[in-house]
Amino acid sequence: MKVFRIGRTAAVLSVAALALAACGSDNATNAAAGTDSSASASALTGTLSGAGASSQASAMDAWIAGFNESNPNASIQYSPDGSGAGREALLAGGVQFAGSDAVLKDEEVQASLETCGPDGALHVPAYISPIAIAFNLDGIEELNLDADTIAGIFRGEITTWNDPAIAGQNEGTELPGTAITVVHRSDESGTTENFTEYLAAAAPDVWTTEASGEWPAELDGQENAQGTSGVVSAASATSGAITYADASAVGSMGTVAVKVGGEYVPYSADAASKAVEASTPVTGEGRPELDMAMELARDTTESGAYPVVLVSYHLYCTTYEDQDTVDLIKAFGSYVVSAEGQAAAGEAAGNAPMSAALQDQGAKAIESIKAAS
């Protein structure tokens, strides 16, 4: 059986690989441990290497800084190359954990049995955030849109900002006849997968394409950019542009309040948390007992819920080659899901802290990680 490919040797190799990858990555996040020590400092040493979701970049900076305050002789490195790249790196044995805005597909779950031991890889939610639908229209800070209209815009079927479908939901707002420029992710992205899941569930008559981490190839002629910062930068520089991105990254652009039931709900951390509360577990062969992958209710009509939301996970192996790696994984992972870690991320990135129940469940899942005998 081929298992436990991530160990001390792999960690050294993956640090070098991440250093090279970060040269071309989106918002590379890389923090080394401090050199000071004290009587109360942790005895943990070594380096963990991770890669994945660019949506987690700001939160990851906060987690690394907070973790290093208590563990000055340990180091965490993270390269935010996108969810797909992170999952691929973990399954190839190149990193010890991955950040992903999408859960492992069935074939990836099966591949994890080779890399991560007989129980495969473990999803632990780390970061909950609304996906903002952000636009660049001078003087307009917020628009009300229903799911069908959002889907029509991103399919290129609604092409100007004063289209009746938009104007009818925004009486009193003077909309220009500016052409709409859609900006989407060029890389495989968990943000794209979450956004298209919402469109497919909430506007199935308009968004007839299957949800995917890759933007539909048939929607050609649209603008695209790499990573979260890439689409935000492109949309910010283009009058009339619209994009989708982690809400923490959209800056001063206008944003959409999404129609849910009979009301329009602007994005917020609380509204995102309310949508997550309606989630159900993802089940399937090969997923470990304490796995926390979630199926979100994208078509919810719950008052005050914002369904365009992502749950970004940390993916860990259930089994690592040595106890030193397990100790580092448990220490870092436990900090991330703790009240302190969630508060640090919220302050840095504006994401929604996980509920106490989810924090406890995450801590239990992380504690189950073990070393090969």
Side-chain angles (χ1 to χ4, degrees), residues 112-181:
S112 77
L113 302 177
E114 287 284 311
T115 304
C116 291
D119 294 322
L122 184 68
H123 297 77
V124 178
Y127 179 85
I128 296 171
S129 180
I131 298 171
I133 302 166
F135 58 85
N136 181 1
L137 284 176
D138 190 37
I140 301 177
E141 296 182 356
E142 186 174 274
L143 289 173
N144 295 327
L145 296 176
D146 61 22
D148 284 349
T149 304
I150 296 167
I153 289 171
F154 279 91
R155 287 202 74 85
E157 296 168 1
I158 297 172
T159 59
T160 61
W161 283 105
N162 61 356
D163 186 284
I166 300 174
Q169 298 177 75
N170 293 277
E171 293 182 12
T173 300
E174 189 172 341
L175 292 163
T178 307
I180 298 174
T181 300

Side-chain angles (χ1 to χ4, degrees), residues 10-366:
V12 173
L13 293 174
S14 64
V15 169
L18 282 168
L20 291 173
C23 294
S25 71
D26 170 48
N27 295 333
T29 302
N30 199 13
T35 56
D36 296 334
S37 62
S38 68
S40 61
S42 165
L44 286 173
T45 60
T47 297
L48 287 182
S49 298
S54 58
S55 62
Q56 292 187 28
S58 295
M60 188 65 70
D61 284 336
W63 288 325
I64 290 172
F67 180 76
N68 280 342
E69 285 183 9
S70 301
N71 301 277
N73 299 310
S75 178
I76 310 295
Q77 297 191 346
Y78 184 77
S79 188
D81 302 320
S83 296
R87 296 195 304 274
E88 189 174 311
L90 179 69
L91 296 177
V95 296
Q96 292 145 315
F97 73 98
S100 180
D101 298 339
V103 302
L104 293 172
K105 301 177 178 67
D106 287 345
E107 59 269 25
E108 292 174 317
V109 169
Q110 293 304 309
S112 77
L113 302 177
E114 287 284 311
T115 304
C116 291
D119 294 322
L122 184 68
H123 297 77
V124 178
Y127 179 85
I128 296 171
S129 180
I131 298 171
I133 302 166
F135 58 85
N136 181 1
L137 284 176
D138 190 37
I140 301 177
E141 296 182 356
E142 186 174 274
L143 289 173
N144 295 327
L145 296 176
D146 61 22
D148 284 349
T149 304
I150 296 167
I153 289 171
F154 279 91
R155 287 202 74 85
E157 296 168 1
I158 297 172
T159 59
T160 61
W161 283 105
N162 61 356
D163 186 284
I166 300 174
Q169 298 177 75
N170 293 277
E171 293 182 12
T173 300
E174 189 172 341
L175 292 163
T178 307
I180 298 174
T181 300
V182 172
V183 182
H184 64 82
R185 290 281 289 267
S186 61
D187 52 323
E188 183 181 354
S189 158
T191 308
T192 298
E193 184 161 344
N194 279 270
F195 182 55
T196 57
E197 280 180 2
Y198 162 72
L199 295 175
D205 293 336
V206 181
W207 192 266
T208 55
T209 308
E210 185 177 352
S212 172
E214 296 180 343
W215 195 252
E218 67 266 25
L219 302 182
D220 55 2
Q222 297 178 337
E223 298 294 324
N224 63 79
Q226 174 91 15
T228 299
S229 64
V231 293
V232 170
S233 177
S236 297
T238 306
S239 178
I242 189 168
T243 192
Y244 56 93
D246 185 86
S248 66
V250 299
S252 61
M253 283 197 294
T255 55
V256 170
V258 174
K259 191 171 187 181
V260 178
E263 63 181 332
Y264 290 94
V265 181
Y267 79 80
S268 71
D270 288 343
S273 290
K274 186 167 285 192
V276 172
E277 287 173 6
S279 66
T280 55
V282 174
T283 58
E285 184 180 352
R287 297 185 187 272
E289 181 182 356
L290 297 178
D291 192 58
M292 294 179 67
M294 300 177 185
E295 188 77 42
L296 294 168
R298 303 293 187 181
D299 55 353
T300 182
T301 57
E302 178 74 20
S303 177
Y306 183 86
V308 197
V309 62
L310 64 83
V311 176
S312 198
Y313 300 90
H314 283 178
L315 304 180
Y316 303 109
C317 285
T318 50
T319 306
Y320 289 90
E321 187 177 70
D322 61 88
Q323 189 62 45
D324 288 345
T325 300
V326 171
D327 291 344
L328 274 171
I329 285 285
K330 285 186 175 182
F332 179 63
S334 296
Y335 171 71
V336 167
V337 301
S338 71
E340 180 184 357
Q342 289 293 296
E347 184 175 344
N351 57 295
M354 295 195 300
S355 67
L358 278 179
Q359 290 175 30
D360 290 345
Q361 192 177 348
K364 182 182 292 187
I366 291 164

